[in-house]
């Protein structure tokens, strides 16, 4: 039996994880489930999966959550506040932590799981973008196993050779990592119309059903930029080792090109239960609930290169990757603030890149050696991003 904590259980990845777990109750048991404030969903999940603990990060829902727990007669220990996320991540009874909180809020509990040497199923890419070197060296030092959940990174992981040398592609016979992306909902949209894009249009991804923040990041392709940085850290890659390829059908989830001319691709329907099941059971394979690909139905299978004008956020992220760690940390922070402002209707779709660029342009690189310094850097960048928005609204 593997004992699980699922950070971000009420989100898209969290729900997909529980969907896989419910098919294998002989293999996985839930220790703790967490959410920000959606106590109704969290309590009903706790009841269904017989969880021992739940954590709600937002303390303001405490009274309502406790009242509902009592009326539902759920025998689960309820905790409130961000510190409790760390408690259920590092607890000795836990084998595996699914890190599926969105954004920087996931950094501390995910890092706690790494420090405790857990098997960490990493969906929360922002944690790695913010703190790459600190995160990966802590994982090595503490014996944590990091298994990628992001579909592209999970695909790359599946396509790598068994004897992969971290940080040395040529020693592994690899010439390039091909990171694929669909291009999002605005791949064909006239650029003149970009200023009028609404949050609802940007959230309507053609292939994937995801949370709001990653849906906006997919529309701007900031998501691919964050994934580029994530791939560098996960597999020890240099910037030139990765090529970004547009593949609108999302059938191939990424590829590894070998020096002998072979290209190994991982394919499947765009359904996160596949990478989740892969990482949960690794190195074994289990049923995920995902249907097999039907090759008689596959029609188009196309590839192209993303263009600067359509996806300025992607190129900001690539610039941050070349600059260094603190540039990635501040860009990630600014992007979270600007995406939230776009979702709230305060800024336009084009403003996301404009305001992200302002923060990156003025950033002076600093050395980040501890998680506390990473958080300070993130907070400072958020303040700069927030004041740029406030000024624009005056
Ligand atoms: P989501 O918005 O659907 O869910 C986010 C979860 O985090 C929810 O449970 C929410 O309650 C919790 N949360 C939000 N703010 C919090 C806070 N301040 N403190 C504690 N918990 C908080 O997001 P998602 O789409 O499931 O994405 C989760 C992570 O996985 C992101 O980092 C995303 O980039 C990554 N990811 C998602 C997908 C996908 O298909 N959804 C694919 C690849 C990677
Ligand atoms: Mg992805």
């Amino acid at each position: 039996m593997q004992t699980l904590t699922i950070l971000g259980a009420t989100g898209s990845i969290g729900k997909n994880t529980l969907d896989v777990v419910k098919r294998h109750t002989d293999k996985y048991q839930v220790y703790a489930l967490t959410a920000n404030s959606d106590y109704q969903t969290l309590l009903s999940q706790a009841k269904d999966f017989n969880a021992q603990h739940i954590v709600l990060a937002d303390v303001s829902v405490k009274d309502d959550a406790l009242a509902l727990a009592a009326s539902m007669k759920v025998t689960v220990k309820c905790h409130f506040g961000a510190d409790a996320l760390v408690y259920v991540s590092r607890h000795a009874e836990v084998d595996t932590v699914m890190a599926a909180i969105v954004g920087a809020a996931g950094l501390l509990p995910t890092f706690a799981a790494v420090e405790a040497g857990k098997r960490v199923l990493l969906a929360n890419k922002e944690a790695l973008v913010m703190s790459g070197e600190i995160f990966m060296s802590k994982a090595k030092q503490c014996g944590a196993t990091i298994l990628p959940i992001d579909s592209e990174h999970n695909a790359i992981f599946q396509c790598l050779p068994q004897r992969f040398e971290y940080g040395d592609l040529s020693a592994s016979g690899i010439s390039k990592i091909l990171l694929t992306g669909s291009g999002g909902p605005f791949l064909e949209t006239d650029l003149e119309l970009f200023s009028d894009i609404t949050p609802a249009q940007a959230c309507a991804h053609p292939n994937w059903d995801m949370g709001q923040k990653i849906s906006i990041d997919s529309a701007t392709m900031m998501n691919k930029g964050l994934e580029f940085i994530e791939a560098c850290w996960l597999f020890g890659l240099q910037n030139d080792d990765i090529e970004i390829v547009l593949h609108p059908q999302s059938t191939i989830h990424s590829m590894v090109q070998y020096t002998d001319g072979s290209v190994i691709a991982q394919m499947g329907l765009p359904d996160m239960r596949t990478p989740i099941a892969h990482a949960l059971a690794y190195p074994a394979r289990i049923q995920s609930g995902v249907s097999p690909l039907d090759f008689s139905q596959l029609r188009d299978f196309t590839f192209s290169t993303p263009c600067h004008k359509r996806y300025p956020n992607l190129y900001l992220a690539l610039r941050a990757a070349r600059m260094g760690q603190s540039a990635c940390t501040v860009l990630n922070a600014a992007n979270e603030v600007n995406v939230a402002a776009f979702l709230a209707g305060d800024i336009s779709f084009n403003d996301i890149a404009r305001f992200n660029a302002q923060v990156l342009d003025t950033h002076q690189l600093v050395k980040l050696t501890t998680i506390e310094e990473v958080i300070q850097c993130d907070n400072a960048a958020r303040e700069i991003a927030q004041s740029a928005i406030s000024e624009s609204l005056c």
Side-chain angles (χ1 to χ4, degrees):
M1 268 288 189
Q2 246 187 76
T3 307
L4 301 176
T5 281
I6 303 177
L7 301 170
T10 58
S12 160
I13 293 287
K15 286 177 180 165
N16 277 311
T17 305
L18 288 172
D19 186 276
V20 177
V21 166
K22 82 165 183 254
R23 297 163 197 274
H24 305 281
T25 46
D26 55 324
K27 290 188 175 68
Y28 307 104
Q29 67 185 21
V30 173
Y31 174 76
L33 298 172
T34 86
N36 189 31
S37 55
D38 181 359
Y39 61 89
Q40 290 101 332
T41 304
L42 195 65
L43 280 167
S44 106
Q45 291 175 332
K47 191 168 187 182
D48 291 348
F49 288 87
N50 210 8
Q52 293 181 50
H53 299 264
I54 59 161
V55 179
L56 285 149
D58 178 357
V59 289
S60 73
V61 300
K62 184 173 180 175
D63 292 346
D64 292 338
L66 290 176
L68 182 63
S71 75
M72 285 170 71
K73 299 192 172 57
V74 195
T75 52
V76 65
K77 203 150 186 284
C78 304
H79 309 258
F80 300 89
D83 288 349
L85 297 171
V86 169
Y87 171 80
V88 295
S89 279
R90 59 157 43 129
H91 197 279
E93 278 186 46
V94 176
D95 304 309
T96 300
V97 174
M98 166 57 82
I101 291 176
V102 60
L107 176 63
L108 285 179
T110 306
F111 195 70
V114 168
E115 279 185 312
K118 304 294 185 198
R119 184 175 163 107
V120 179
L121 277 42
L122 187 69
N124 177 220
K125 68 192 86 184
E126 295 92 342
L128 198 52
V129 169
M130 292 169 76
S131 71
E133 188 174 358
I134 301 171
F135 190 100
M136 292 306 288
S137 50
K138 186 59 80 178
K140 195 169 175 198
Q141 182 196 333
C142 299
T145 304
I146 312 288
L147 292 165
I149 292 298
D150 218 339
S151 57
E152 296 77 3
H153 306 74
N154 185 272
I156 294 164
F157 183 69
Q158 294 197 49
C159 298
L160 288 175
Q162 259 185 356
R163 269 186 273 143
F164 173 64
E165 302 257 350
Y166 183 89
D168 192 347
L169 283 194
S170 59
S172 307
I174 297 169
S175 54
K176 209 161 240 179
I177 301 294
L178 302 165
L179 183 68
T180 56
S182 69
F186 308 125
L187 178 63
E188 310 277 353
T189 307
D190 190 335
L191 293 181
E192 310 253 297
L193 302 176
F194 268 42
S195 53
D196 297 328
I197 287 171
T198 64
Q201 289 170 325
C203 281
H205 196 282
N207 307 335
W208 295 96
D209 182 10
M210 309 180 284
Q212 279 193 321
K213 194 258 177 185
I214 185 175
S215 296
I216 303 300
D217 284 349
S218 299
T220 65
M221 277 195 88
M222 174 59 88
N223 184 51
K224 210 50 55 186
L226 299 179
E227 289 181 356
F228 180 96
I229 300 165
E230 181 186 12
C232 288
W233 288 116
L234 278 175
F235 306 115
L237 308 177
Q238 303 301 312
N239 293 343
D240 291 344
D241 294 336
I242 309 177
E243 185 178 327
I244 295 174
V245 179
L246 283 185
H247 168 53
Q249 297 79 24
S250 302
T251 303
I252 290 179
H253 300 302
S254 278
M255 303 176 261
V256 175
Q257 185 172 62
Y258 285 82
T259 43
D260 60 7
S262 303
V263 176
I264 301 191
Q266 189 264 351
M267 296 164 61
L269 289 178
D271 188 320
M272 289 307 293
R273 290 175 300 173
T274 295
I276 290 167
H278 173 263
L280 269 174
Y282 180 80
R285 296 272 179 175
I286 54 170
Q287 296 273 353
S288 63
V290 179
S291 306
L293 270 182
D294 178 353
F295 282 86
S296 70
Q297 295 302 313
L298 288 183
R299 292 284 176 264
D300 297 330
F301 209 51
T302 58
F303 304 93
S304 60
T305 309
C307 111
H308 255 89
K309 275 204 176 140
R310 188 169 295 275
Y311 301 114
N313 275 296
L314 167 62
Y315 291 90
L316 284 177
L318 301 188
R319 197 171 111 211
R322 281 195 304 277
M323 286 169 69
Q325 179 61 74
S326 68
C328 298
T329 311
V330 301
L331 181 62
N332 178 68
N335 184 57
E336 283 191 33
V337 170
N338 290 321
V339 168
F342 170 66
L343 284 168
D346 291 340
I347 64 172
S348 73
F349 187 76
N350 284 339
D351 283 341
I352 301 174
R354 194 161 68 86
F355 287 133
N356 281 343
Q358 272 183 24
V359 175
L360 192 62
D361 287 346
T362 54
H363 178 62
Q364 303 279 341
L365 213 61
V366 286
K367 180 111 186 91
L368 301 174
T369 49
T370 63
I371 285 294
E372 291 70 31
E373 286 173 5
V374 169
I375 289 168
Q376 275 168 18
C377 179
D378 170 274
N379 285 336
R382 276 168 204 273
E383 276 178 30
I384 296 170
Q386 201 60 63
S387 52
I389 294 170
S390 305
E391 272 173 35
S392 81
L393 293 175
C394 288

